[in-house]
Amino acid sequence: MPPFNPFSALRTLPIRARPSFPVRQHLQRQPLQRSFADQVATNNPNALPKAASQTGGAPNENQEDHVSEEAAKMAKATGGSGPDLDVGTPVQEILAEEKDTLKTAPQVMKDTIKDPQTKENAKPSSGTRQFSTMARRMQGEMGMGSEAAGLDGSMIPSTEQRAVFAEEQFNTAITPTVLQNLPLPALPIPARSQQEHRYDPVVEQVTNLLMVDGKKAAAQRNMAHILSVLRTAPAPTYNPVRNLLPGAPPASHLPLNPVLYLTLAIDSIAPLLRIRSQRGAAGGGVALQIPVPLGLRQRRRQAMMWILDAVEKKKSRSSGRNTFAQRVAEELIGVVEGKSGVWVKRDAVHKLATTARSNLNFGSKGRR
């Protein structure tokens, strides 16, 4: 048996070397760098000095000194004469140094710079002025108590006085003086039917007649458009043949009050009665025409139904969701001007009622 050679077997095995590639720099985990807040919290000796790590509130509380304050401290340290903190710098001195600003300054300031020896511009003889521009210097005194401010103790309200004042303010805020003076309503309170309506009765009734399928919002929108057209339309021209209600205002006043415009148009064509047919009352199966008087709401309803019938028969001259309301408004204007065909229906009902006025007592003869 020949001896076994391992090297020949290794030649037949596929040996793949391990790939070697450089690790990218952005994939390496970077050590975390602690911030300044972490250094202060962990008492790190490498933290910044305490003077630079103030944690006593907002960063603008520890402000640097003003330029004048810094100049005064420097002059005091060097033994020189610095600016007086109790004296504000006059505007004239600033403008005298700023030539560019002086060009756009008011003429009054320019005159004071040219003639500084006038009575109004003369500098005070003493070294101080009656005012000071250093408001920051008084902040400490303003925040101190009444003893430091020099106030008398009798001028400070006591705890009881403050409680009474707070109670008065609270009561006034809840119940103003205007509400306290309002009288109570008279008892008993009237029923809802006797109270004032939210809208005008005519407007409310017409809105309900315009409503279709219970869509009250759409009816109110159409009613608003009708009133808007009546308000913006030119003043109508009265027809002497078609008499409106007695006491009608001048035609030029109607657009100023669209509700009155609407009421006048409806009440003028509202019939006073309706015709009821009684079958067999005349004998032989002949119907008898009996006039029946109508109430106010019934009259207005009949007049509005006639107007709506006339509107339905007219063609629309435009497109949009306000076309119906536009036609209703035009029909109302035609009623006031005497051009609407509703007048013919009203005259026909009244003429027939006049003819059948002898039938008003029908039914009452048999009871006697």
Side-chain angles (χ1 to χ4, degrees):
M1 182 177 181
F4 176 73
N5 189 1
F7 295 99
S8 61
L10 291 175
R11 290 196 206 104
T12 62
L13 296 176
I15 300 176
R16 182 176 297 176
R18 184 177 181 181
S20 60
F21 53 88
V23 181
R24 297 181 182 179
Q25 296 293 334
H26 69 277
L27 296 178
Q28 295 180 357
R29 186 179 181 85
Q30 298 292 340
L32 297 176
Q33 297 180 1
R34 304 188 69 85
S35 60
F36 169 70
D38 297 335
Q39 295 175 0
V40 175
T42 56
N43 297 325
N44 194 337
N46 297 328
L48 296 179
K50 186 177 181 180
S53 61
Q54 297 290 342
T55 59
N60 58 353
E61 289 187 359
N62 300 322
Q63 300 180 2
E64 296 293 338
D65 295 334
H66 193 265
V67 178
S68 301
E69 295 178 353
E70 187 176 355
K73 292 181 180 179
M74 184 64 66
K76 183 178 180 181
T78 57
S81 59
D84 190 358
L85 300 181
D86 294 333
V87 179
T89 304
V91 181
Q92 291 80 358
E93 297 181 5
I94 299 177
L95 294 178
E97 299 177 359
E98 300 290 341
K99 302 299 181 181
D100 297 337
T101 309
L102 182 59
K103 296 179 181 179
T104 58
Q107 187 63 31
V108 179
M109 294 187 177
K110 294 181 181 179
D111 297 341
T112 56
I113 295 175
K114 293 180 181 179
D115 189 9
Q117 301 301 327
T118 58
K119 182 178 180 181
E120 294 80 2
N121 304 323
K123 295 184 178 180
S125 57
S126 60
T128 59
R129 294 180 182 269
Q130 297 180 356
F131 61 90
S132 174
T133 59
M134 298 302 298
R136 290 176 52 190
R137 185 174 60 84
M138 303 297 295
Q139 290 180 355
E141 298 182 6
M142 293 173 63
M144 299 176 64
S146 59
E147 294 78 11
L151 297 178
D152 189 4
S154 59
M155 300 175 61
I156 304 175
S158 61
T159 307
E160 293 77 6
Q161 294 176 346
R162 293 183 180 181
V164 173
F165 178 76
E167 184 178 359
E168 292 178 356
Q169 292 292 330
F170 180 76
N171 296 335
T172 306
I174 295 180
T175 307
T177 307
V178 179
L179 297 181
Q180 293 178 356
N181 298 333
L182 290 178
L184 295 176
L187 297 178
I189 299 178
R192 184 175 181 180
S193 59
Q194 300 178 3
Q195 295 178 2
E196 295 182 359
H197 296 273
R198 181 178 181 183
Y199 302 103
D200 187 83
V202 178
V203 175
E204 188 173 1
Q205 185 177 6
V206 173
T207 303
N208 294 334
L209 294 176
L210 295 176
M211 182 173 55
V212 179
D213 297 335
K215 298 179 181 179
K216 189 67 172 289
Q220 291 177 345
R221 183 175 63 249
N222 291 333
M223 189 71 250
H225 186 77
I226 292 173
L227 296 178
S228 178
V229 173
L230 295 179
R231 181 178 59 85
T232 57
T237 303
Y238 289 159
N239 189 351
V241 179
R242 303 296 184 183
N243 296 325
L244 300 177
L245 288 179
S252 59
H253 294 182
L254 292 180
L256 302 178
N257 193 344
V259 177
L260 177 61
Y261 201 158
L262 175 67
T263 306
L264 178 64
I266 294 178
D267 289 349
S268 297
I269 61 171
L272 298 177
L273 34 79
R274 66 181 180 89
I275 304 299
R276 180 173 64 88
S277 298
Q278 183 69 31
R279 294 185 60 182
V286 180
L288 186 64
Q289 307 293 335
I290 303 175
V292 178
L294 298 176
L296 179 60
R297 288 182 59 86
Q298 293 175 333
R299 296 176 58 241
R300 289 174 175 173
R301 183 183 184 280
Q302 185 62 45
M304 194 62 198
M305 295 304 296
W306 285 346
I307 293 176
L308 294 179
D309 291 341
V311 170
E312 292 292 341
K313 297 178 182 179
K314 289 186 177 181
K315 295 182 180 180
S316 178
R317 295 180 296 178
S318 60
S319 61
R321 65 178 184 179
N322 293 328
T323 56
F324 176 74
Q326 182 72 25
R327 286 181 292 168
V328 173
E330 293 175 356
E331 189 67 22
L332 290 172
I333 296 175
V335 168
V336 175
E337 293 181 348
K339 302 177 181 179
S340 177
V342 182
W343 287 99
V344 179
K345 293 184 178 181
R346 177 180 179 273
D347 294 343
V349 171
H350 285 182
K351 184 177 181 179
L352 182 58
T354 304
T355 305
R357 64 182 181 274
S358 60
N359 301 330
L360 289 174
N361 297 328
F362 174 79
S364 60
K365 297 179 180 180
R367 300 189 188 96
R368 293 179 182 177

